[in-house]
Amino acid sequence: MKWTEGIDKLGLGLYFLLCIFAIANIYSVDQKLGEKQLVFFCISLVVGLVIFVGRSKFFENMAGIIYIGGVLLLIGLFPFGKEILGQKNWYKFGSFTMQPVEFAKIGTALMLANYVSSPDFNLKNKKSLWTALAIIGIPAAVVLAIPDVGSMLVFIAFFIALYREGLSGLLFGIGFIFAGVFLISLAVPPVYFAVAVLVIAGVLIAMNYHRMSWDVISISGIAGSVLLLCGLAFGSPYILEKLPKHQRERIEVLYKGEKAFRDTSGYNLLYSKTAIGSGGLWGKGYREGSVTQGKFVPEQETDYIFCTVGEEWGFLGSAILILCYMVYIGRIYYLAEKQKSTFNRVFGYCFASILLMHFSINLGMVMGLFPTVGIPLPYFSYGGSSLLAFSMMTFIFFKLNYSDKNSLV
Amino acid sequence: MNTRYLKIFSILVTIALIFVARLAYLQLFTDRYALNAANTSIKTEYVIPQRGVIFDRNGKIMVGNQPAYEISFTQALMKPDFDTLAFCSLMKITKQDFINRINVIKKEKYYSKLTPMTFIKDLSREDIARVQEIIFKYPAFNIVSRPQRQYEVSTSGNLLGYTSEVNERDIKKDSTYYLPGDFIGKTGVEKSYEKELRGVKGVKYIQKDIRLRNIGSYKNGALDKDVITGKDITLTIDYDLQRTAEEMLVNKHGAIVALDPNNGEVLVSATGPDIDPNLFTGPNKSKNLYALSKDTLYENKPTFDRALQAGYPPGSTFKLLTALAAMQMGVMDEKTIFPCGGGFFYKGKRIKGHGGADPLIPSIQVSSNCFFTYAFIAIIKKYPGNPSKGVDEWKKIMSSFGVGEFLNNDFAVGARGRIPSGDFYERRFKAIMKASGSQRTDFKNWDEMSTGAIYNGMGQGDVLVTPIQLANYVAAIANRGWYYTPHIVKAIDGKPNPDPRFKVKHKTLVDPKHFEPVLKGMEAVVLRGTARGLKSNDFTQLAKTGTAQVPQGKDNSIFVLIAPAEKPKIVVVAVMEHAGFGATWAGPACTVIAEKYITGDLKRENLYKKMITSSFMPEYKRQWIADLKRKGLYVDPKPDSIKQKRIKDSLELVKQEKAKLQKKIEEAKKNNTAKKTVKQ
């Protein structure tokens, strides 16, 4: 058996492809930053190599320490953090800055995998469930307190991993329904919405009529959820009112149009759409994007890097990029599912779900499908911490996968 | 396999598909964002070409260009620390003026934060020199160079025309070229040769960054277009002659047109009153244009180009065409004699005028009204019982001389004039019959007398001809039956005017043999006839005088001239409103132009002097006042009270002085007598 056999060539190949394409695009936005990103990439490869030649059991054994370290780093932000762009989530050592939240995600993933793989773990057991929730909740709460809403949302990823391990899907269902109702009822008058809820409820009841037991609990449950949904529909404008102004605008801009907030949230969205939309089918050509070159989109090298792809590589280039991400994330889910050890599988699910959350939120935001939330596109956005953290997770996972393939168990 | 794994997987695929669909919408199915990108990230800069220069036929520059500057304003570049007062003192405007100008700009139809809008126009070179060094402090304000017309002549404003900012209609007509702020030829040659003169704007696509700074050319200038300077135009006009003609039209209403009959080139197209084209430039341009358009005092109307637009009754000069048409229609020949002994009596009507029972040539010589009225009656009566047929046949012949139709040439304006048709008289006859309560129902056989049709023969009735049409038909007579369409541009960028319209030899419907007696008659006019006072020792002339009666007042003075007689080189016609006899006013003007063109010199200076010193303004004023009185609008001018008092005072003073003097004289007398008595 050759030593290279356990290396997943598709996964790692896509990793290299994404990183190098990213550097090319960052270079198009700003040459200096592109060069710096190349340096970060080299550092990431060195770290990756170290991880690869190291012991695979190291991460399982050290999960607790890495987790605690990550949480401490997050807490340390309160006294020592540096405020950049209104968020106090950076450490600064001389000219070197670091975003600990990226690393905290690794710790959380390792810790969660470690805990779930422990022999006495059982999700039916309340103690197990609460412990798992605590592992996710502690760093998430700290991140929310910073406040960094975007990164907090990424912690939802861990629930996807738990879902795979048997957590009820109802939680997601309810969450999605509430978020959906909240957003839709902002755009649609609540009265119409309430009517729609009643009609859907009626149809659902009619369809399941013979299966239903007409006891007090189920009737009150149905009535209660219908009331709750209608209440939320009427209440959502008031909830929106209570949000801070910039967050409220980021939601409103999605259905009121960019023009209404031309000088604030609308500007970013308008110009990110302008950059992407002006790319057409073939794109304007590498380093030829007039919106990119004119630096019309703020933060284009970080959160809005996809605009450059859209403008300069057109529909074909950006659609292929989206497909690459889909194949890559799907590959990780697939590999994770095939792992023999629970630790490996849970870590793999955490990793793929973190990627999925970042990918969905970032692209949704850039294309105006999701409120503006500042989180990077994995491997693609400029930034050393982000690239290094994602690379570390990548190499840890592929190392685990490698040793899993080569293990005889 | 775990089914939850598949659920997660399908969510992943769904999300990716949603993103691809969204991408397709943004990039392929809406152009909103592509347009926004083009509007803001790429700035299109236009380089305004120099307009073509206009020369006269001898290479004299008539219209050139001069640099002109304006200051543009871009709202998006306005900084919060903008020092309004310092800027105002730099531009030498008040703060209120500044605020007003900005407010006006913001209300403009095409206003946008990113577009540079004109802030101040028509700055002089000195202003620019002062501003140039300092304006970089105010990035929202920029100097824009837009070449302006410079006129090297001070006459012929109507002919040359003016340029002015495009209006909405101009933009709609050629929306691919014109943008707000561009200039377009509005009248004259500037209008009719706009496409040649304007050149092609240069376009530069410049990439802008978010602060609207230039960051280089877009696509390395692959889409840029070079500016192409407008084509230079050489007119057929001989400005020296034109100027002489204009001088002779000073204080007169009328026109002088001269053509080269051999090719239809217009040598002179002068109208009175004339416009100084320098009124079309400079900061008072729009005020001047407005004033010119509103100047109707004494019917001056300077923007009305009488040479091209005014339809005049041609008077006796039209007798030439009557004779030609009558001979061609076979209703007379050169030997025909009409019953004119002792004047014209016809159906109880008498027309005064010279004449005896003479054939064609002497009748032209003395301009016999009787002869040509009979000739026209013969035309009307060619088909007994069907006068319309005769008149229509005549009209067709007239059309072949370019009368009663647009000339279809390269002037910006023109008029059709009028040659009545048979139908015209049928309708008139019907109206007359109805008004008189007659029961007659057959209007086909109309009466030439009551409809006034008989007067057309001598160019009085319902015939109207513009001076350029007049010159054109005289040229056709000079050529014995053909003409080239009169045109004003000889060459474009040094190459002969390629317009095919001016290369067609138009043949008239009159047989060349009929022209001989007419030309002989015109010769007799100069040798022994109505224009014998205009004879020249240096060249031979063929001419015809005209004195057209007009309802408003004194007769119009008309004259047509061909010279030299042997091989015509020039045709000159002149019309002077309410001046009197043709030979007295229009005649000298024509012969002076012909002399200057043929001999290159002004030999009979007395004629020229007479022309430039005479004024018909008092007659126009009298008519104006009479017209106002008729309409009941006239108010006697109020006596000037200050002047009156001054006159009164001075009269008083004279009286007092006189009285004083008288007193002194009387005293002196007394003393004298006293002394005398003492002596005695």
Side-chain angles (χ1 to χ4, degrees), chain B residues 34-49:
Chain B
L35 285 177
N36 190 39
N39 286 343
T40 51
S41 66
I42 301 167
K43 192 187 161 214
T44 320
E45 268 188 6
Y46 293 98
V47 187
I48 313 292

PDB file of all heavy atoms in Angstrom, chain B residues 34-49:
ATOM      1  N   ALA B  34     -25.626  46.253 -14.798  1.00  0.00           N
ATOM      2  CA  ALA B  34     -24.611  46.554 -15.810  1.00  0.00           C
ATOM      3  C   ALA B  34     -24.639  48.041 -16.138  1.00  0.00           C
ATOM      4  O   ALA B  34     -23.608  48.689 -16.272  1.00  0.00           O
ATOM      5  CB  ALA B  34     -24.863  45.724 -17.058  1.00  0.00           C
ATOM      6  N   LEU B  35     -25.864  48.599 -16.223  1.00  0.00           N
ATOM      7  CA  LEU B  35     -25.989  50.027 -16.525  1.00  0.00           C
ATOM      8  C   LEU B  35     -25.416  50.865 -15.394  1.00  0.00           C
ATOM      9  O   LEU B  35     -24.719  51.844 -15.629  1.00  0.00           O
ATOM     10  CB  LEU B  35     -27.461  50.389 -16.744  1.00  0.00           C
ATOM     11  CG  LEU B  35     -28.043  49.934 -18.067  1.00  0.00           C
ATOM     12  CD1 LEU B  35     -29.525  50.291 -18.133  1.00  0.00           C
ATOM     13  CD2 LEU B  35     -27.301  50.601 -19.213  1.00  0.00           C
ATOM     14  N   ASN B  36     -25.724  50.456 -14.173  1.00  0.00           N
ATOM     15  CA  ASN B  36     -25.212  51.208 -13.031  1.00  0.00           C
ATOM     16  C   ASN B  36     -23.692  51.195 -13.019  1.00  0.00           C
ATOM     17  O   ASN B  36     -23.050  52.202 -12.739  1.00  0.00           O
ATOM     18  CB  ASN B  36     -25.768  50.616 -11.736  1.00  0.00           C
ATOM     19  CG  ASN B  36     -25.466  51.488 -10.549  1.00  0.00           C
ATOM     20  OD1 ASN B  36     -25.528  52.706 -10.647  1.00  0.00           O
ATOM     21  ND2 ASN B  36     -25.100  50.874  -9.446  1.00  0.00           N
ATOM     22  N   ALA B  37     -23.116  50.048 -13.361  1.00  0.00           N
ATOM     23  CA  ALA B  37     -21.660  49.953 -13.402  1.00  0.00           C
ATOM     24  C   ALA B  37     -21.108  50.898 -14.448  1.00  0.00           C
ATOM     25  O   ALA B  37     -20.147  51.638 -14.214  1.00  0.00           O
ATOM     26  CB  ALA B  37     -21.233  48.519 -13.701  1.00  0.00           C
ATOM     27  N   ALA B  38     -21.748  50.896 -15.624  1.00  0.00           N
ATOM     28  CA  ALA B  38     -21.251  51.751 -16.704  1.00  0.00           C
ATOM     29  C   ALA B  38     -21.390  53.216 -16.328  1.00  0.00           C
ATOM     30  O   ALA B  38     -20.541  54.038 -16.647  1.00  0.00           O
ATOM     31  CB  ALA B  38     -22.021  51.451 -17.981  1.00  0.00           C
ATOM     32  N   ASN B  39     -22.468  53.552 -15.633  1.00  0.00           N
ATOM     33  CA  ASN B  39     -22.704  54.952 -15.303  1.00  0.00           C
ATOM     34  C   ASN B  39     -21.752  55.482 -14.252  1.00  0.00           C
ATOM     35  O   ASN B  39     -21.431  56.660 -14.248  1.00  0.00           O
ATOM     36  CB  ASN B  39     -24.141  55.149 -14.805  1.00  0.00           C
ATOM     37  CG  ASN B  39     -25.104  55.078 -15.950  1.00  0.00           C
ATOM     38  OD1 ASN B  39     -24.706  55.205 -17.097  1.00  0.00           O
ATOM     39  ND2 ASN B  39     -26.358  54.851 -15.634  1.00  0.00           N
ATOM     40  N   THR B  40     -21.353  54.635 -13.337  1.00  0.00           N
ATOM     41  CA  THR B  40     -20.573  55.191 -12.238  1.00  0.00           C
ATOM     42  C   THR B  40     -19.103  54.845 -12.290  1.00  0.00           C
ATOM     43  O   THR B  40     -18.278  55.636 -11.900  1.00  0.00           O
ATOM     44  CB  THR B  40     -21.150  54.739 -10.890  1.00  0.00           C
ATOM     45  OG1 THR B  40     -21.308  53.335 -10.917  1.00  0.00           O
ATOM     46  CG2 THR B  40     -22.471  55.394 -10.625  1.00  0.00           C
ATOM     47  N   SER B  41     -18.764  53.665 -12.781  1.00  0.00           N
ATOM     48  CA  SER B  41     -17.356  53.309 -12.692  1.00  0.00           C
ATOM     49  C   SER B  41     -16.590  53.724 -13.936  1.00  0.00           C
ATOM     50  O   SER B  41     -15.385  53.795 -13.928  1.00  0.00           O
ATOM     51  CB  SER B  41     -17.204  51.817 -12.454  1.00  0.00           C
ATOM     52  OG  SER B  41     -17.663  51.094 -13.569  1.00  0.00           O
ATOM     53  N   ILE B  42     -17.317  53.976 -15.029  1.00  0.00           N
ATOM     54  CA  ILE B  42     -16.627  54.413 -16.235  1.00  0.00           C
ATOM     55  C   ILE B  42     -17.140  55.781 -16.601  1.00  0.00           C
ATOM     56  O   ILE B  42     -18.338  55.992 -16.733  1.00  0.00           O
ATOM     57  CB  ILE B  42     -16.886  53.442 -17.396  1.00  0.00           C
ATOM     58  CG1 ILE B  42     -16.401  52.063 -17.002  1.00  0.00           C
ATOM     59  CG2 ILE B  42     -16.170  53.915 -18.648  1.00  0.00           C
ATOM     60  CD1 ILE B  42     -16.875  50.991 -17.911  1.00  0.00           C
ATOM     61  N   LYS B  43     -16.224  56.716 -16.734  1.00  0.00           N
ATOM     62  CA  LYS B  43     -16.653  58.043 -17.105  1.00  0.00           C
ATOM     63  C   LYS B  43     -16.364  58.236 -18.577  1.00  0.00           C
ATOM     64  O   LYS B  43     -15.287  57.909 -19.050  1.00  0.00           O
ATOM     65  CB  LYS B  43     -15.901  59.075 -16.289  1.00  0.00           C
ATOM     66  CG  LYS B  43     -16.519  60.423 -16.431  1.00  0.00           C
ATOM     67  CD  LYS B  43     -15.683  61.460 -15.757  1.00  0.00           C
ATOM     68  CE  LYS B  43     -16.057  62.811 -16.307  1.00  0.00           C
ATOM     69  NZ  LYS B  43     -14.922  63.683 -16.370  1.00  0.00           N
ATOM     70  N   THR B  44     -17.366  58.721 -19.284  1.00  0.00           N
ATOM     71  CA  THR B  44     -17.172  58.965 -20.695  1.00  0.00           C
ATOM     72  C   THR B  44     -16.807  60.427 -20.851  1.00  0.00           C
ATOM     73  O   THR B  44     -17.569  61.294 -20.449  1.00  0.00           O
ATOM     74  CB  THR B  44     -18.471  58.674 -21.451  1.00  0.00           C
ATOM     75  OG1 THR B  44     -19.046  57.499 -20.883  1.00  0.00           O
ATOM     76  CG2 THR B  44     -18.211  58.444 -22.901  1.00  0.00           C
ATOM     77  N   GLU B  45     -15.628  60.671 -21.402  1.00  0.00           N
ATOM     78  CA  GLU B  45     -15.218  62.055 -21.621  1.00  0.00           C
ATOM     79  C   GLU B  45     -15.251  62.340 -23.100  1.00  0.00           C
ATOM     80  O   GLU B  45     -14.742  61.571 -23.901  1.00  0.00           O
ATOM     81  CB  GLU B  45     -13.807  62.282 -21.084  1.00  0.00           C
ATOM     82  CG  GLU B  45     -13.834  62.766 -19.658  1.00  0.00           C
ATOM     83  CD  GLU B  45     -12.482  63.193 -19.151  1.00  0.00           C
ATOM     84  OE1 GLU B  45     -11.526  63.219 -19.939  1.00  0.00           O
ATOM     85  OE2 GLU B  45     -12.404  63.487 -17.958  1.00  0.00           O
ATOM     86  N   TYR B  46     -15.863  63.457 -23.446  1.00  0.00           N
ATOM     87  CA  TYR B  46     -15.971  63.796 -24.857  1.00  0.00           C
ATOM     88  C   TYR B  46     -14.986  64.906 -25.177  1.00  0.00           C
ATOM     89  O   TYR B  46     -14.797  65.830 -24.399  1.00  0.00           O
ATOM     90  CB  TYR B  46     -17.388  64.254 -25.179  1.00  0.00           C
ATOM     91  CG  TYR B  46     -18.382  63.134 -25.043  1.00  0.00           C
ATOM     92  CD1 TYR B  46     -19.140  62.998 -23.886  1.00  0.00           C
ATOM     93  CD2 TYR B  46     -18.528  62.193 -26.047  1.00  0.00           C
ATOM     94  CE1 TYR B  46     -20.031  61.954 -23.745  1.00  0.00           C
ATOM     95  CE2 TYR B  46     -19.423  61.151 -25.911  1.00  0.00           C
ATOM     96  CZ  TYR B  46     -20.172  61.040 -24.772  1.00  0.00           C
ATOM     97  OH  TYR B  46     -21.054  60.011 -24.634  1.00  0.00           O
ATOM     98  N   VAL B  47     -14.366  64.781 -26.324  1.00  0.00           N
ATOM     99  CA  VAL B  47     -13.520  65.860 -26.812  1.00  0.00           C
ATOM    100  C   VAL B  47     -14.293  66.537 -27.920  1.00  0.00           C
ATOM    101  O   VAL B  47     -14.665  65.916 -28.911  1.00  0.00           O
ATOM    102  CB  VAL B  47     -12.193  65.309 -27.353  1.00  0.00           C
ATOM    103  CG1 VAL B  47     -11.259  66.442 -27.685  1.00  0.00           C
ATOM    104  CG2 VAL B  47     -11.577  64.355 -26.366  1.00  0.00           C
ATOM    105  N   ILE B  48     -14.592  67.813 -27.696  1.00  0.00           N
ATOM    106  CA  ILE B  48     -15.425  68.533 -28.656  1.00  0.00           C
ATOM    107  C   ILE B  48     -14.553  68.939 -29.837  1.00  0.00           C
ATOM    108  O   ILE B  48     -13.540  69.603 -29.657  1.00  0.00           O
ATOM    109  CB  ILE B  48     -16.031  69.798 -28.009  1.00  0.00           C
ATOM    110  CG1 ILE B  48     -16.627  69.469 -26.652  1.00  0.00           C
ATOM    111  CG2 ILE B  48     -17.037  70.435 -28.944  1.00  0.00           C
ATOM    112  CD1 ILE B  48     -17.820  68.612 -26.671  1.00  0.00           C
ATOM    113  N   PRO B  49     -14.933  68.546 -31.051  1.00  0.00           N
ATOM    114  CA  PRO B  49     -14.114  68.917 -32.207  1.00  0.00           C
ATOM    115  C   PRO B  49     -14.279  70.388 -32.560  1.00  0.00           C
ATOM    116  O   PRO B  49     -15.294  70.998 -32.235  1.00  0.00           O
ATOM    117  CB  PRO B  49     -14.662  68.028 -33.323  1.00  0.00           C
ATOM    118  CG  PRO B  49     -16.055  67.724 -32.918  1.00  0.00           C
ATOM    119  CD  PRO B  49     -16.102  67.748 -31.424  1.00  0.00           C
TER     120      PRO B  49
END
